[in-house]
Amino acid sequence: VEGFNFDIRKHLVDYDDVLNKQREIIYKRRRETLEANDKIIVRESYKEKMQSSIATLVAVAMGTSTDGDVNEKIVKDFLTIIPFDEKSQQQLQTQLEQLHDQNQKVDFLSNLAIDVYNKRVEDLGDEVSSQIERAVMLSVIDALWMDHLDAIENLRQGIGLRGYGQRDPLVEYKNEAFRMFEQLMQAIDDEVIHRIFKIQVQPIMSQPIQATTNTPASEVSTHQHTHTHTDGTTHTHSHEVTETNKKHKLGRNDPCWCGSGKKYKKCHYPN
């Protein structure tokens, strides 16, 4: 019985080892994204991913579309990476029609994407661009990795049926898991490129909390309140509160309007 149970545990470890190796690769890539300090190397890798994605979409379009629709298909797929307005789309399609070789189309679109990427980095700044790229990469890795874990679990539950076909379930599991992991890594790179140009940065306008010069004097009142601490010391605080804040109905657990830092129910609400 002990030998039988040992074989069962060893069999489970063999299955878990496949996923653990994949997990190490994903976590290493995630850690590299968090700790990346050389921005030049990171951006060069993004440019390589762009060229790879563009080469794929051009190859697919030329292999599945007719001669009259191939350029339209390429432009449509290219817009999923970089959105252009309608006028730019027409100009892009016109330029593609003048190029007949697949490599020429790939080079043209790749150079265009890299120019747009460099201009975006210049406009946003190095720091903001790096933060955006890091956030996009982490978000994509986390989302697709969770989907991959669900797919691997489904594969593992049904892989035992391969034994009825005189095939080793463990070998089949390793082969299928490797193929799925390769697709995962390609999907991560492709998804990052399809997201990076769609993020827009809006400046946050900070609004002053204190009363402005436009606030009528009649609407500003001064409140003084005294707090006696457990050590016997007494402090008096003075706060200016606008009538707008006083009219706003506070909840019992909201911070008190007086600025004491206490909840409303523990401060002025009882009075």
Side-chain angles (χ1 to χ4, degrees), residues 117-136:
Y117 177 76
N118 292 334
K119 183 66 167 61
R120 177 182 172 86
V121 171
E122 182 181 350
D123 293 340
L124 296 178
D126 285 342
E127 189 61 31
V128 175
S129 298
S130 298
Q131 293 178 4
I132 292 174
E133 292 164 2
R134 184 181 296 112
V136 170

Side-chain angles (χ1 to χ4, degrees), residues 155 158-169 172-173 176:
L155 172 66
I159 200 67
L161 298 176
R162 305 283 180 94
Y164 291 105
Q166 303 300 317
R167 289 180 291 180
D168 187 349
E172 293 292 316
Y173 175 76
E176 289 289 336

Side-chain angles (χ1 to χ4, degrees), residues 74-256:
I74 291 175
V75 172
K76 183 178 180 181
D77 292 341
F78 186 69
L79 292 177
T80 62
I81 298 178
I82 305 178
F84 286 103
D85 55 31
E86 186 175 352
K87 183 178 180 180
S88 299
Q89 295 176 28
Q90 295 175 353
Q91 294 177 351
L92 187 60
Q93 184 170 344
T94 302
Q95 291 174 314
L96 285 174
E97 290 174 353
Q98 299 174 1
L99 304 174
H100 303 288
D101 184 64
Q102 178 175 333
N103 293 330
Q104 292 178 343
K105 297 179 186 294
V106 172
D107 292 340
F108 168 71
L109 294 177
S110 297
N111 293 332
L112 176 61
I114 291 174
D115 290 341
V116 174
Y117 177 76
N118 292 334
K119 183 66 167 61
R120 177 182 172 86
V121 171
E122 182 181 350
D123 293 340
L124 296 178
D126 285 342
E127 189 61 31
V128 175
S129 298
S130 298
Q131 293 178 4
I132 292 174
E133 292 164 2
R134 184 181 296 112
V136 170
M137 177 64 77
L138 294 177
S139 175
V140 171
I141 290 176
D142 292 346
L144 295 184
W145 173 244
M146 288 188 292
D147 293 341
H148 179 73
L149 291 178
D150 293 336
I152 287 290
E153 181 62 26
N154 294 334
L155 172 66
R156 182 169 175 174
Q157 290 178 358
I159 200 67
L161 298 176
R162 305 283 180 94
Y164 291 105
Q166 303 300 317
R167 289 180 291 180
D168 187 349
L170 180 58
V171 174
E172 293 292 316
Y173 175 76
K174 289 181 178 180
N175 293 334
E176 289 289 336
F178 178 75
R179 180 184 58 80
M180 293 169 63
F181 187 70
E182 280 190 326
Q183 293 177 350
L184 169 66
M185 301 301 287
Q186 294 174 359
I188 289 175
D189 292 340
D190 192 61
E191 184 66 20
V192 167
I193 297 304
H194 280 77
R195 284 193 190 184
I196 197 72
F197 290 100
K198 295 183 175 66
I199 296 180
Q200 302 296 328
V201 179
Q202 297 291 340
I204 299 177
M205 303 299 295
S206 58
Q207 296 181 353
I209 299 176
Q210 68 275 13
T212 63
T213 55
N214 293 331
T215 305
S218 60
E219 293 186 5
V220 180
S221 59
T222 302
H223 298 269
Q224 292 185 351
H225 54 88
T226 304
H227 292 288
T228 303
H229 300 275
T230 54
D231 58 0
T233 59
T234 304
H235 297 281
T236 302
H237 303 277
S238 177
H239 299 278
E240 289 187 351
V241 183
T242 64
E243 287 296 324
T244 304
N245 292 335
K246 290 176 64 178
K247 293 176 182 178
H248 175 64
K249 184 173 179 62
L250 293 175
R252 288 170 51 85
N253 292 318
D254 292 337
C256 186

Side-chain angles (χ1 to χ4, degrees), residues 25-54:
I25 296 174
I26 287 293
Y27 284 8
K28 179 182 178 181
R29 184 166 186 179
R30 199 177 191 282
R31 188 164 54 252
E32 289 174 349
T33 301
L34 288 169
E35 299 174 355
N37 295 322
D38 196 333
K39 298 177 182 178
I40 296 178
I41 296 178
V42 172
R43 290 189 177 130
E44 288 299 322
S45 68
Y46 274 100
K47 293 176 183 178
E48 292 177 359
K49 293 181 179 66
M50 287 181 209
Q51 293 174 338
S52 177
S53 296
I54 291 172

